[in-house]
Amino acid sequence: MSYSRTAVAVAVLAFVAAGCDSGAPGSTGPAVRDSAGVRIIENADYRWPEGEGWRFSEAPTVDIGASQSETEQLFNVVDALKLDDGRIVVANSGSGELRFYDAAGAFLNTSGRKGDGPGEFGELLWMRTHGDSLLAFDWDGAKLSVFGLDGTFARSVAMRPLIQTGGAPSYLSPFADGTLLAVASLYRSESGGLEAGMRRNTALHLRCDMDGGLIDTVGALPGDEWYLRSEGGGVVGGVRALGLEGHTTAHSDGFFYGDSESYEIGDYDRDGTLTRLIRLDRPNRPVTDRDIELYEEDQVEEWGGDPVARQAIQRMLIDMPFPETLPAYGEFRVDEEGNLWVSDYRRPGEKATRWTVFDPSGAALGVVEMPPRFTPYQIGSDFVLGRWQDELDVEHVRVYGLLKG
């Protein structure tokens, strides 16, 4: 959920772990109890019998990016959606475009371009549908653009609550009632400064209207873990290596949030009231020497082309304390049937993606393994749409069948 904009950033790479095994041969369901008006769902195992459950089709049913045509060459895809009529919309941030394809993946048309004018994007970040509109969020200026489902530009809205917080906007999604959940990441301490040491930023959850006005602040929750160090008379830093992360995803009536300290996820209503806690009896895995070694190699490789950045990263890694355990989980998604998908946290070097599925009641169904180097954006009742990268990091948008039973 987080995006770093400091002078020197230690990037936490989005790797997901292989996780634990697929669980006991069929569960009778979680233990459920109430505590001070909050329902607590305790999952000890999975409902799917071992060897059964949901799985991906062996090959994608649609592959955009397989040819070398200009309209299929993708760069920095940040989102993709399948519309009700089967068309696929790709948020291609590298060109600042929304690209429309038919159900088979054939190019149709584009909307938007790079720029700061109406219908243009400086840094396209998120895309959502709401009714008969397509909402696209631009990091630069915290601007929400509204398009018709045919790509016709309608209007732009400055998300004033995000701008006024001074934080970096990291998430935006509509509720069923037409209001918006917005999350701003605040990096400064309570004193207003940036002191050296370990800390977590604040994920400020806001409810806004479609004109960008603030309705209410619904939560100030822990965000990502950061490490800051004094250097050259100032403070530099970035997200902590293998550190804790705050994760949020909206559903029609509220949002799920987790701080990744343990396998516990809160379900909040639109006003920020905690209604449920979903738990899975799975301990956090230890950080190994190999994890640290691979993480440091990844950082040096990523920043090696810039000698100044490389030296700063190396100084940071010498000082930064690594955690004893990995975060409890990674990203969240909610599918079209209301199931919550939670990814395992990927250790450095791992390519496989495993997601635990919880049904709308909070019961843990089981684990679905996704293809290596695949990032899901939309999960339907019988498909999964997302970005896939080959061994050369060439980007594709793919649709896979989701096979159940």
Side-chain angles (χ1 to χ4, degrees), residues 154-374:
R155 64 191 178 106
S156 291
V157 177
M159 299 301 296
R160 294 186 301 275
L162 294 181
I163 298 171
Q164 292 164 1
T165 64
S170 55
Y171 185 80
L172 189 73
S173 191
F175 293 127
D177 67 353
T179 60
L180 296 166
L181 174 66
V183 181
S185 298
L186 308 182
Y187 300 99
R188 297 185 179 274
S189 65
E190 294 180 0
S191 66
L194 287 172
E195 292 86 17
M198 195 75 65
R199 61 183 304 273
R200 294 193 76 164
N201 66 13
T202 298
L204 191 63
H205 289 61
L206 309 169
R207 190 176 175 199
C208 308
D209 60 34
M210 287 293 290
D211 293 321
L214 177 65
I215 297 174
D216 195 11
T217 299
V218 298
L221 301 169
D224 293 347
E225 201 169 20
W226 275 57
Y227 179 71
L228 307 175
R229 65 187 297 272
S230 299
E231 183 174 307
V235 176
V236 296
V239 288
R240 184 187 188 186
L242 309 179
L244 299 174
E245 302 171 345
H247 293 281
T248 297
T249 193
H251 56 80
S252 61
D253 298 318
F255 62 93
F256 292 107
Y257 165 82
D259 62 17
S260 73
E261 290 190 30
S262 62
Y263 214 115
E264 178 180 270
I265 299 165
D267 187 2
Y268 297 77
D269 66 18
R270 287 192 289 261
D271 296 323
T273 300
L274 178 64
T275 61
R276 296 191 299 168
L277 286 171
I278 301 172
R279 295 172 177 167
L280 179 62
D281 185 12
R282 194 174 78 179
N284 294 13
R285 295 166 299 156
V287 172
T288 66
D289 291 342
R290 183 60 174 163
D291 292 330
I292 296 173
E293 179 184 356
L294 288 174
Y295 182 87
E296 291 177 342
E297 290 177 1
D298 289 338
Q299 293 302 302
V300 171
E301 180 181 352
E302 180 172 355
W303 297 94
D306 184 338
V308 175
R310 176 173 180 157
Q311 291 174 10
I313 290 294
Q314 289 172 330
R315 290 194 298 271
M316 181 74 72
L317 291 173
I318 290 172
D319 290 346
M320 181 185 297
F322 280 81
E324 294 184 359
T325 60
L326 296 170
Y329 42 70
E331 299 177 279
F332 302 162
R333 298 284 189 275
V334 176
D335 69 21
E336 294 179 355
E337 296 181 338
N339 301 300
L340 172 65
W341 294 58
V342 180
S343 73
D344 288 0
Y345 184 87
R346 275 187 255 184
R347 336 184 74 112
E350 288 184 335
K351 304 297 184 183
T353 59
R354 288 166 56 92
W355 293 68
T356 298
V357 183
F358 298 86
D359 72 13
S361 74
L365 299 179
V367 173
V368 177
E369 185 163 344
M370 296 192 185
R373 302 180 301 278
F374 179 79

Side-chain angles (χ1 to χ4, degrees), residues 57-105:
S57 59
E58 291 188 9
T61 58
V62 178
D63 187 348
I64 298 170
S67 77
Q68 296 301 312
S69 67
E70 183 176 347
T71 56
E72 282 208 33
Q73 291 179 5
L74 303 173
F75 174 57
N76 195 18
V77 171
V78 294
D79 216 337
L81 292 169
K82 187 176 183 180
L83 304 179
D84 289 343
D85 61 7
R87 286 178 300 141
I88 296 169
V89 189
V90 176
N92 193 60
S93 186
S95 61
E97 293 176 318
L98 305 181
R99 295 186 178 180
F100 291 77
Y101 300 84
D102 68 17

